Amino acid sequence: MTRVSVIIPTYNRARTLPRAIDSALAQTVDDLEVVVVDDGSTDDTSSVLAEYDDPRVRPVVHATNQGANVARNTGIDHARGEYVAFLDSDDEWRSEKLERQLETLDGRSEEWVGVYCDAAFELSGTDGWLRSTAATVLARGNDRPAMEGGEELIGEILADNVQPGAGSTLLVRTDVARDIGGFDEQLDRFQDPEFCLRVLEAGNLAYVDEELVIREETAIPPADVIKNADEQYLSMYDETVERFESDGYEIRSSHQLILAKCYFSEGRLLRGLWHLRQAAPSRRQYPGLCWAAGVGVRRRPVPIVATVAFVLVAIVLTQGAVARRVFTD
């Protein structure tokens, strides 16, 4: 049996697809196959795949576009490996990625069914340097959550303290991926953590503390879309959320913080503040909030200024009314 089946779902990414495939073929683990699921692409993807004269590359083609989750599940169905590892077609792996993950699982009991690693974004320019520096400083906090295990990881993932990122960082036993039903094809967002939550129902996840994946930033959907998807995701685990929140995990407030940053980034300050008031951000999260607000100001400077002026006027009028009541009384 092949050791690892690498599953690359792709749709109209002929420009970045070769980098992803090449990084899979360049792994220091030789016993692998690369299952590329072309999800109905209309660009030059077919020509890109035709250029690979390597028996390890196995294209599977959808006649029409069906979505990334369906494409990943098609890859799982066609996998011949003991493990499946997912790789988005705009990301790439360090050459030792699979080797380090397999080494981590070697010698552990059968309870350990998968392993994930860290990823780094490919950022350039001054903005990229600032964001990378901020992320490094914030990562040095003393309140780092448990990064591997079983039951304890469920609360950390729901609270967004741990992001296994199944799309490009996860390696999991193929039989487990099949037994849990693959990726939820009804989810447009949060499919990666949701998949990992079901993996954790089957066993433990290990962790490699190395940045073995290079991600390319992609467009973020509108905040309203993320809000609807977030509500759908949390509603699927309503009882689990209640259980872990009773144990002290701040799950719903963490998701309100996510939404606040999304709205801030769009320049929708009032909507962002509405979600922020339901969150409980720590000091380590302030820089991220400020960054999101700064992005929003650059996108919509006039509406932001008008909103800030409105808020300031409201504060002044409120304080004036309070002062009048004090003197009247």
Side-chain angles (χ1 to χ4, degrees):
M1 176 186 286
T2 303
R3 192 78 195 278
V4 181
S5 294
V6 181
I7 297 173
I8 304 179
T10 188
Y11 175 65
N12 286 348
R13 282 182 174 162
R15 180 182 64 84
T16 60
L17 179 59
R19 185 177 65 177
I21 296 176
D22 292 346
S23 75
L25 294 176
Q27 291 296 296
T28 52
V29 172
D30 295 326
D31 190 12
L32 58 77
E33 63 174 0
V34 182
V35 181
V36 183
V37 183
D38 179 1
D39 190 29
S41 295
T42 57
D43 62 358
D44 293 330
T45 294
S46 59
S47 299
V48 169
L49 291 173
E51 293 178 359
Y52 282 90
D53 185 20
D54 190 317
R56 294 175 296 172
V57 179
R58 296 176 51 215
V60 180
V61 180
H62 285 169
T64 58
N65 179 251
Q66 301 177 55
N69 292 345
V70 177
R72 287 171 177 168
N73 289 341
T74 295
I76 293 172
D77 290 341
H78 284 77
R80 300 170 180 167
E82 177 186 1
Y83 292 94
V84 287
F86 305 97
L87 174 58
D88 287 347
S89 57
D90 57 347
D91 293 339
E92 64 178 303
W93 287 344
R94 304 287 189 192
S95 60
E96 68 275 17
K97 190 259 189 189
L98 293 181
E99 181 181 3
R100 293 288 296 111
Q101 290 186 304
L102 291 171
E103 286 176 350
T104 300
L105 288 179
D106 284 345
R108 299 203 186 194
S109 69
E110 291 188 358
E111 293 180 347
W112 297 86
V113 299
V115 55
Y116 70 102
C117 63
D118 269 344
F121 279 99
E122 191 174 61
L123 303 172
S124 59
T126 303
D127 281 1
W129 179 83
L130 288 172
R131 291 175 63 180
S132 297
T133 302
T136 300
V137 171
L138 295 177
R140 294 173 183 160
N142 295 324
D143 55 347
R144 195 180 194 196
M147 300 298 291
E148 66 174 30
E151 174 79 3
E152 61 271 30
L153 272 189
I154 295 177
E156 301 290 2
I157 291 173
L158 283 171
D160 199 48
N161 296 328
V162 172
Q163 298 100 18
S168 288
T169 71
L170 182 68
L171 177 140
V172 64
R173 274 185 7 213
T174 304
D175 62 331
V176 169
R178 288 175 177 157
D179 289 346
I180 67 174
F183 287 81
D184 190 324
E185 297 177 2
Q186 304 304 312
L187 286 177
D188 293 326
R189 303 287 299 177
F190 300 101
Q191 60 267 38
D192 286 5
E194 196 281 327
F195 179 79
C196 289
L197 289 175
R198 284 184 286 117
V199 169
L200 286 168
E201 294 175 3
N204 296 347
L205 278 178
Y207 168 65
V208 177
D209 189 9
E210 296 179 46
E211 294 177 345
L212 300 174
V213 178
I214 303 172
R215 292 188 183 279
E216 181 175 292
E217 278 202 302
T218 55
I220 299 175
D224 288 339
V225 172
I226 296 176
K227 176 179 178 292
N228 292 335
D230 185 75
E231 292 174 352
Q232 179 187 13
Y233 168 50
L234 288 183
S235 68
M236 296 169 62
Y237 291 89
D238 191 54
E239 293 183 4
T240 307
V241 169
E242 292 285 351
R243 175 161 60 90
F244 277 95
E245 285 199 326
S246 68
D247 289 337
Y249 288 85
E250 296 181 349
I251 296 174
R252 291 188 177 91
S253 65
S254 294
H255 284 257
Q256 292 298 324
L257 182 64
I258 293 171
L259 296 177
K261 289 192 287 188
C262 290
Y263 282 108
F264 282 162
S265 295
E266 288 187 357
R268 300 169 66 181
L269 181 61
L270 289 180
R271 175 65 69 172
L273 289 172
W274 189 87
H275 286 284
L276 185 60
R277 62 186 285 272
Q278 302 177 73
S282 66
R283 290 183 178 180
R284 293 179 67 246
Q285 293 163 328
Y286 291 166
L289 283 167
C290 293
W291 185 276
V295 171
V297 168
R298 290 197 295 271
R299 285 182 176 174
R300 303 177 67 200
V302 174
I304 286 288
V305 170
T307 300
V308 171
F310 173 79
V311 172
L312 290 174
V313 170
I315 292 173
V316 170
L317 291 176
T318 301
Q319 290 176 337
V322 171
R324 284 194 297 273
R325 285 199 300 271
V326 170
F327 284 112
T328 301
D329 294 340

